[in-house]
Amino acid sequence: RRSSDLVRMEDVDTPRCSPEAAHLILGQLAACGLRSDVPVAWQSKRSSIYQTSLDRLTRAGAVYVCQCSRADIARSLATRGISAERHRDVAYPGTCKNLKLQLQTGMSVRFSVPDIALTWPDRLLGKQQQQVATEVGDFVLKRSDGLWAYQLAVVVDDAAQGITHVVRGEDLADNTPRQILLQQALGLPTPLYMHTPLVMAADGQKLSKQNGAISLNLDTPVKVMQALNAAAQVLGLPQQHGDNAGLALTAWVTEWRSRFT
């Protein structure tokens, strides 16, 4: 029996995620023959589930409350001769780690990262390693505006939906060690990870809403196949002919499995 097809809308950052855009995405997926077998999971509606996981981490002493604003962090880094603007990935300096603050409005909750070198296998990129404590630092799980951070939401949802393999763009590869640490802290299984090449624009920038990429036009079967074949080319999959997206997807899935199973 085949596994279920699941769709999850990662709209946890509600100020930046409009319902119109979400429903457009669902329509585009459907046009490509990609439909969920079960009701779509909306992260924006799962706050109580994330809170339960955060409560577990709190009881285990794995998180702490942080009152630092972006300006506070920048000043702290500046005292060490580091420009936060120029070095966006500089680790959080740990200002609030030992203050034992009580959570109040305007404060965030950070995960206390263990000082270890985390190693994991990527099915395409090979062996990966990151010293999360020094390269990232204690990262936010619940933001100062009360919204949930991607790292916690995706870890909880992957486990809840029984995800065993994660295939995503290589720009998210450096998120993986943070997610593995959370999985370990919550006693959740770690999926197998694979990070694939990105679809790039003519100017070398990745295609994304941040860079002004426009939505695909998928109003005819021919345009659907053009879009799918373009994606297949980036992944090194053979081009498919005709206008039946379902048959093309079946062929690509078969080819993908032959390479990576």
Side-chain angles (χ1 to χ4, degrees):
R1 185 176 67 87
R2 73 175 181 85
S3 59
S4 296
D5 293 327
L6 309 173
V7 174
R8 180 169 75 217
M9 296 304 297
E10 296 186 341
D11 61 340
V12 70
D13 191 354
T14 50
R16 298 176 60 191
C17 300
S18 72
E20 295 79 13
H23 288 291
L24 174 62
I25 291 170
L26 292 175
Q28 291 176 326
L29 289 174
C32 293
L34 299 168
R35 296 177 177 85
S36 184
D37 293 331
V38 298
V40 174
W42 298 80
Q43 286 189 331
S44 58
K45 300 178 181 179
R46 294 171 59 79
S47 180
S48 62
I49 298 172
Y50 306 142
Q51 185 63 55
T52 297
S53 294
L54 183 61
D55 291 343
R56 288 182 57 191
L57 294 171
T58 301
R59 290 192 296 270
V63 300
Y64 62 91
V65 174
C66 176
Q67 63 183 353
C68 294
S69 65
R70 290 180 183 271
D72 293 332
I73 295 172
R75 283 192 293 269
S76 178
L77 293 173
T79 62
R80 299 158 54 192
I82 301 171
S83 170
E85 183 177 351
R86 290 170 49 215
H87 302 275
R88 296 180 183 177
D89 295 330
V90 170
Y92 171 68
T95 308
C96 295
K97 190 161 191 171
N98 299 313
L99 297 184
K100 308 298 182 184
L101 299 170
Q102 295 298 311
L103 185 61
Q104 300 177 35
T105 301
M107 295 183 178
S108 61
V109 180
R110 291 182 179 272
F111 180 73
S112 183
V113 174
D115 189 12
I116 60 172
L118 188 68
T119 302
W120 73 98
D122 186 282
R123 297 169 67 216
L124 192 60
L125 302 178
K127 181 180 178 181
Q128 303 291 301
Q129 180 173 300
Q130 187 180 83
Q131 190 82 24
V132 185
T134 56
E135 295 182 45
V136 178
D138 298 337
F139 54 91
V140 171
L141 300 184
K142 193 170 189 179
R143 296 170 15 176
S144 59
D145 57 8
L147 296 178
W148 297 100
Y150 166 78
Q151 306 296 352
L152 180 64
V154 75
V155 163
V156 172
D157 288 341
D158 281 350
Q161 293 183 311
I163 303 301
T164 59
H165 294 68
V166 172
V167 180
R168 59 191 181 190
E170 62 186 4
D171 57 327
L172 293 175
D174 70 348
N175 285 254
T176 304
R178 279 169 273 178
Q179 292 165 18
I180 293 174
L181 289 176
L182 283 175
Q183 290 155 1
Q184 293 173 347
L186 289 166
L188 302 176
T190 294
L192 296 175
Y193 287 96
M194 175 188 291
H195 291 86
T196 62
L198 301 178
V199 179
M200 310 298 277
D203 61 0
Q205 296 290 321
K206 72 173 183 178
L207 290 177
S208 69
K209 60 185 179 183
Q210 289 92 341
N211 294 327
I214 61 175
S215 300
L216 293 172
N217 183 346
L218 303 176
D219 58 359
T220 68
V222 171
K223 292 177 181 177
V224 168
M225 285 302 301
Q226 288 174 342
L228 290 174
N229 272 311
Q233 184 177 15
V234 173
L235 296 173
L237 293 170
Q239 299 292 282
Q240 299 294 322
H241 303 289
D243 59 5
N244 191 316
L247 290 178
L249 288 171
T250 298
W252 283 318
V253 169
T254 300
E255 173 67 20
W256 191 264
R257 285 176 172 165
S258 72
R259 297 182 184 183
F260 296 107
T261 57

